[in-house]
Amino acid sequence: MLKFIADYRDGRVYVSGKVYAAGMFATHLLNQYYLNDTAARIAIFSDDVNYNIVRQLENGYLNISEFVSTGRNVLEAMKSLPKLHPFDTLDNSAITDCVTNLFTEENGERICAYLSEKAKVSMLSQDEVSVGTAYRYAERTDKEADVLVHDAITILQFFNNVSADLISAHDKLTAFEERVDEAERFDEKHLLPIALEVFGQIPFPLTTEYISLKKNKASSGETVAHRLTFDRYIAFVLTDFFEGLHYGHYPRRCGVCKKYFLMQSARRQQYCMGIAPEQIRGQNVTCRRYAASVKRKEKAENDPISAIYTNRC
């Protein structure tokens, strides 16, 4: 429920039945990070209360009021999480229902009772342990409460990791984009050294397997692709970035609209094909067309041939 699954082949990534150019998800993060305060709303979960609940459960005790409050925080984060790809591909309604039913006062009391029983077992003397008393006590503990503890820790660690992953991935992707122009050519050979210097060594917790995949809907045959399962968002988004970089895909920031776009060639393109914030003669145009128009205008005004032409006409 809290995992990302993606299939990679030939510079493309297949997620939930849809196909994207590799590198698209990294570019999406750069654009969505500040939009509608997406990152800030998700990052609210990295506060001390969330970490504290995980520590409490791991150490064998629980503050019930903080436990319930943490559940409300997670539900607030769920309102913003689907705005960020690929979180929109998760079963968010199921996650919301799980959080709603888990972080309740009743479950908090049940967990406390369970932790108390476990503590009593650990306090038994060695003589009682040797005759099997500890085993009999342990068998009588609330097994369903143990599942509640595991689920609560899993959910809170997931959201705490998401917050940290967002910040780390955004900072490194931004640093890479700012250094792109240092490359002599915009291909894998020249961009990879910059990427390795920026990202360094980051362990990726993931599971990989090989599958068969059609090249397109009309294909009769299938080819080999590798399927990756990610437990962490940063593993997903940086894998997407490096898979894209392998095929010459990399994020660029448009000089007109200031949004990021995914370059898929080695050209020194500085402007995207999105709609420019300014119009030309009252019409919406792309950023590339707007930039070209502005350049021609500036050249014409400073060109002595244009001045002579204007005077004569």
Side-chain angles (χ1 to χ4, degrees), residues 300-301 303-313:
E301 288 178 347
D303 191 345
I305 303 299
S306 297
I308 295 173
Y309 175 85
T310 301
N311 290 334
R312 295 214 175 163
C313 291

Side-chain angles (χ1 to χ4, degrees), residues 68-88:
V68 175
S69 176
T70 297
R72 289 195 295 267
N73 284 344
V74 174
L75 290 176
E76 284 299 315
M78 286 302 302
K79 296 178 181 178
S80 297
L81 201 62
K83 297 178 181 178
L84 187 65
H85 301 327
F87 293 100
D88 56 332

Side-chain angles (χ1 to χ4, degrees), residues 241-291:
F241 168 77
F242 278 102
E243 284 285 334
L245 195 65
H246 177 58
Y247 291 93
H249 304 176
Y250 60 95
R252 285 283 271 170
R253 193 174 192 184
C254 177
V256 174
C257 68
K258 305 305 180 183
K259 294 180 181 179
Y260 295 90
F261 63 100
L262 182 64
M263 276 296 300
Q264 299 182 51
S265 71
R267 293 179 298 173
R268 290 188 174 272
Q269 182 177 323
Q270 298 183 13
Y271 311 103
C272 70
M273 292 300 293
I275 301 300
E278 303 291 340
Q279 296 181 328
I280 296 179
R281 301 183 185 90
Q283 293 184 346
N284 292 327
V285 295
T286 65
C287 291
R288 292 194 71 188
R289 182 179 174 187
Y290 176 80

Side-chain angles (χ1 to χ4, degrees), residues 38-265:
T38 298
R41 293 177 183 275
I42 296 174
I44 191 175
F45 305 103
S46 62
D47 59 18
D48 292 338
V49 174
N50 282 13
Y51 286 113
N52 194 30
I53 291 298
V54 174
R55 286 195 296 267
Q56 289 179 22
L57 293 174
E58 290 176 340
N59 292 327
Y61 67 99
L62 180 66
N63 184 316
I64 297 178
S65 62
E66 289 184 357
F67 179 76
V68 175
S69 176
T70 297
R72 289 195 295 267
N73 284 344
V74 174
L75 290 176
E76 284 299 315
M78 286 302 302
K79 296 178 181 178
S80 297
L81 201 62
K83 297 178 181 178
L84 187 65
H85 301 327
F87 293 100
D88 56 332
T89 64
L90 299 178
D91 191 347
N92 289 285
S93 60
I95 298 175
T96 299
D97 291 341
C98 178
V99 172
T100 301
N101 296 326
L102 175 58
F103 291 89
T104 64
E105 185 173 350
E106 179 183 0
N107 282 338
E109 293 174 351
R110 189 173 181 179
I111 290 173
C112 285
Y114 165 73
L115 295 175
S116 177
E117 288 299 315
K118 284 192 64 176
K120 292 179 182 178
V121 175
S122 66
M123 297 286 290
L124 294 175
S125 66
Q126 285 300 304
D127 291 338
E128 292 173 299
V129 171
S130 63
V131 297
T133 303
Y135 176 79
R136 291 192 295 272
Y137 279 14
E139 283 296 301
R140 292 201 297 266
T141 58
D142 190 348
K143 297 298 187 295
E144 292 184 3
D146 183 57
V147 175
L148 295 177
V149 171
H150 175 269
D151 290 348
I153 291 176
T154 299
I155 289 174
L156 292 180
Q157 286 180 336
F158 174 81
F159 279 97
N160 286 336
N161 288 338
V162 166
S163 175
D165 290 351
L166 278 174
I167 296 172
S168 178
H170 176 266
D171 289 348
K172 292 182 182 298
L173 288 171
T174 302
F176 170 82
E177 193 282 330
E178 291 174 348
R179 294 185 56 186
V180 163
D181 287 321
E182 296 179 11
E184 182 180 344
R185 285 181 54 82
F186 295 159
D187 55 15
E188 180 185 13
K189 176 181 178 181
H190 296 85
L191 291 174
L192 182 58
I194 299 175
L196 293 177
E197 185 176 339
V198 169
F199 290 94
Q201 297 294 324
I202 301 178
F204 285 177
L206 55 84
T207 303
T208 183
E209 60 181 309
Y210 289 97
I211 63 170
S212 60
L213 195 67
K214 288 185 177 182
K215 290 185 177 181
N216 53 59
K217 294 181 179 179
S219 299
S220 58
E222 296 182 335
T223 58
V224 175
H226 58 284
R227 171 168 292 174
L228 303 180
T229 302
F230 305 90
D231 294 326
R232 292 279 299 267
Y233 171 71
I234 193 168
F236 173 87
V237 73
L238 294 190
T239 296
D240 178 67
F241 168 77
F242 278 102
E243 284 285 334
L245 195 65
H246 177 58
Y247 291 93
H249 304 176
Y250 60 95
R252 285 283 271 170
R253 193 174 192 184
C254 177
V256 174
C257 68
K258 305 305 180 183
K259 294 180 181 179
Y260 295 90
F261 63 100
L262 182 64
M263 276 296 300
Q264 299 182 51
S265 71

